[in-house]
Amino acid sequence: MNDNWIEACATDAVSQDDVIRFDHGDLTFCIYRTADDKYYATSGLCTHAEVHLAGGFVMDHTIECPKHNGRFDFTTGQAKGAPACIDLKTYPVKVEAGRVFLNPG
């Protein structure tokens, strides 16, 4: 198992039912926080047109791309609405001492 945990942000940097962008090296990620304070991470770019998803709309475990309105379930990465048809990559997340970490694998 890969143990390359990267500190992404403070837990309070992400509002409930929202998303923020996190860049590490040449990779872009999205960090999400649900209404029940669970955190998730996905690739930061839409699989349809490679637009940054952090500018999108979050509701009920769904991120909607700000460009063409493709939708993804950010808890699983599953593409849920056209024109997006390729799933998002998801990443393990852990929270420790008020900080959010992700493992890019």
Side-chain angles (χ1 to χ4, degrees):
M1 170 126 184
N2 187 331
D3 199 30
N4 293 329
W5 291 97
I6 299 167
E7 184 176 335
C9 62
T11 53
D12 61 2
V14 188
S15 300
Q16 289 181 317
D17 282 332
D18 207 359
V19 58
I20 64 167
R21 178 177 168 177
F22 169 65
D23 295 320
H24 181 75
D26 58 356
L27 298 175
T28 297
F29 303 94
C30 280
I31 309 295
Y32 307 85
R33 180 179 174 189
T34 61
D36 59 352
D37 285 329
K38 292 183 179 163
Y39 293 83
Y40 296 87
T42 68
S43 169
L45 299 175
C46 179
T47 59
H48 169 250
E50 295 196 2
V51 172
H52 289 281
L53 289 170
F57 179 69
V58 174
M59 189 171 87
D60 297 331
H61 298 167
T62 300
I63 178 73
E64 184 177 85
C65 179
K67 186 160 186 175
H68 297 118
N69 306 107
R71 293 177 311 281
F72 302 90
D73 180 331
F74 62 78
T75 66
T76 64
Q78 183 179 16
K80 302 292 267 183
C85 57
I86 299 170
D87 294 348
L88 280 177
K89 184 165 175 60
T90 60
Y91 300 91
V93 172
K94 68 179 179 180
V95 175
E96 291 181 352
R99 308 299 295 174
V100 178
F101 298 81
L102 71 86
N103 190 326

